[in-house]
Amino acid sequence: FYISDAGSVYADTESGCSIDGYRYNTGNYFKTEEKAENYKDYLLAKQTLKNDAKGFVPDWKSSDNKYFVYQLGNGYLGAESCVSNHGACLYFASKQHAEESIDKHEKEWRIVFDWENGKR
């Protein structure tokens, strides 16, 4: 299964052509339709959250706070500051921006965390 340019999920068989290798090498290659649909949901959710970050790119040489969203084992979503890279999927310029993203796009955060933690 793979995700088309239009966002539909299609089934295909391997024929040894270059598109098979390309889909596999770019991560657009799935054993089940459900996995492909989950990845599509992840891509759409992550782009929504990137839009919330408003193009913020952390400057790790600066000691200014950067903010990231985290999820606890009980499902709680919160925002925290840091000055060094914590490996978060996204960073925000302010705690307010991070918290607004949680409030507005909680579902998308959960999709991203679930995918990145192997739960989807």
Side-chain angles (χ1 to χ4, degrees):
F1 294 91
Y2 68 95
I3 304 165
S4 75
D5 289 348
S8 299
V9 172
Y10 289 108
D12 202 353
T13 56
E14 278 192 55
S15 61
C17 62
S18 62
I19 193 67
D20 296 331
Y22 180 79
R23 288 179 185 144
Y24 181 81
N25 291 332
T26 60
N28 190 9
Y29 187 101
F30 306 91
K31 290 184 180 183
T32 67
E33 185 174 9
E34 179 184 21
K35 202 66 158 169
E37 288 287 351
N38 287 343
Y39 187 63
K40 180 177 87 169
D41 292 344
Y42 165 76
L43 291 174
L44 293 169
K46 189 154 185 185
Q47 185 58 53
T48 296
L49 302 177
K50 285 181 178 181
N51 293 346
D52 286 352
K54 301 177 171 120
F56 179 71
V57 177
D59 176 3
W60 298 114
K61 294 176 185 173
S62 165
S63 62
D64 292 341
N65 280 333
K66 297 93 175 145
Y67 297 85
F68 64 97
V69 173
Y70 63 90
Q71 182 179 38
L72 296 178
N74 64 4
Y76 172 80
L77 295 173
E80 187 63 56
S81 66
C82 64
V83 293
S84 61
N85 190 339
H86 285 253
C89 67
L90 291 168
Y91 291 91
F92 293 81
S94 72
K95 187 169 186 173
Q96 179 183 350
H97 287 155
E99 289 174 340
E100 286 172 356
S101 179
I102 293 168
D103 291 343
K104 189 173 180 183
H105 294 115
E106 178 181 347
K107 176 184 171 188
E108 288 79 1
W109 277 108
R110 295 194 185 285
I111 290 169
V112 167
F113 281 123
D114 283 353
W115 179 267
E116 292 182 351
N117 291 313
K119 295 179 182 177
R120 283 184 67 90

